[in-house]
Amino acid sequence: MRKKLTAIAISSLIATTMIYPYSALAKQAGAPALTAAPNSQVRVETTNGYVAVSNHKIIDGMTYIPISEVAKVLQVQVRWEASTHTVTIENPQTTMKWYSITDRIKVNNKDVTITDRPQIFDSRTYVPLVLLQQVFQLKYYWDAPTKTVTILSPDVQ
């Protein structure tokens, strides 16, 4: 009887994993849904038409961009401190530090609570546009028909 119950339990478990694909289980567990977005899906450019990002990610419907590719456009400096696993993004008015191990963020030396944190993929730091908007007052425009994000120059109001 015990062997029969064990066999039924194992069969049920196997059937359950076949019914629920990995992505559904990952979503239930809180893992972000990651999809690489080819440039044909979402385009990130500046107001002068220059394509600022060639390798972005869409995670849970949000656009993440490699900060190194847009640092010049945003007029920010980016540093990686290997000893503390810290990414520092700064301009003359604002300094943001992200401690990748603890997932803490400090803005101008104050701890802040931000739900949309940077992430590291292939040794590159990807930052959600919404975080740049919150911390650096980045202005951008979303054109839904063309799926284009236009980053406005920091001096454009």
Side-chain angles (χ1 to χ4, degrees):
M1 178 77 171
R2 190 172 183 95
K3 287 183 181 180
K4 192 174 192 177
L5 287 175
T6 303
I8 292 172
I10 291 172
S11 297
S12 297
L13 182 61
I14 291 170
T16 301
T17 58
M18 290 175 157
I19 293 170
Y20 284 106
Y22 168 77
S23 60
L25 292 174
K27 192 158 188 117
Q28 287 175 358
L34 170 65
T35 56
N39 286 333
S40 62
Q41 289 185 344
V42 176
R43 183 177 171 91
V44 181
E45 61 184 27
T46 64
T47 50
N48 65 7
Y50 172 73
V51 177
V53 178
S54 60
N55 185 22
H56 53 279
K57 310 266 185 226
I58 303 297
I59 303 171
D60 291 335
M62 293 180 44
T63 302
Y64 282 68
I65 57 177
I67 192 62
S68 61
E69 288 190 26
V70 293
K72 185 175 180 181
V73 172
L74 300 177
Q75 298 174 1
V76 297
Q77 293 184 359
V78 180
R79 285 189 323 274
W80 167 252
E81 299 166 28
S83 62
T84 60
H85 295 268
T86 303
V87 176
T88 302
I89 305 169
E90 62 186 340
N91 67 16
Q93 298 80 29
T94 307
T95 300
M96 183 189 92
K97 290 188 176 217
W98 173 53
Y99 303 89
S100 64
I101 292 177
T102 62
D103 222 10
R104 286 186 25 224
I105 293 179
K106 285 190 172 202
V107 176
N108 294 334
N109 290 321
K110 294 180 183 172
D111 286 320
V112 294
T113 303
I114 296 176
T115 56
D116 305 307
R117 292 170 168 62
Q119 297 191 28
I120 296 176
F121 299 103
D122 300 324
S123 301
R124 297 179 76 190
T125 301
Y126 285 75
V127 180
L129 283 173
V130 70
L131 176 63
L132 294 174
Q133 179 184 33
Q134 292 168 346
V135 173
F136 294 100
Q137 289 74 48
L138 170 71
K139 291 179 178 39
Y140 62 90
Y141 170 76
W142 169 249
D143 182 28
T146 62
K147 296 184 179 179
T148 301
V149 175
T150 302
I151 299 173
L152 302 176
S153 170
D155 50 343
V156 173
Q157 298 301 323

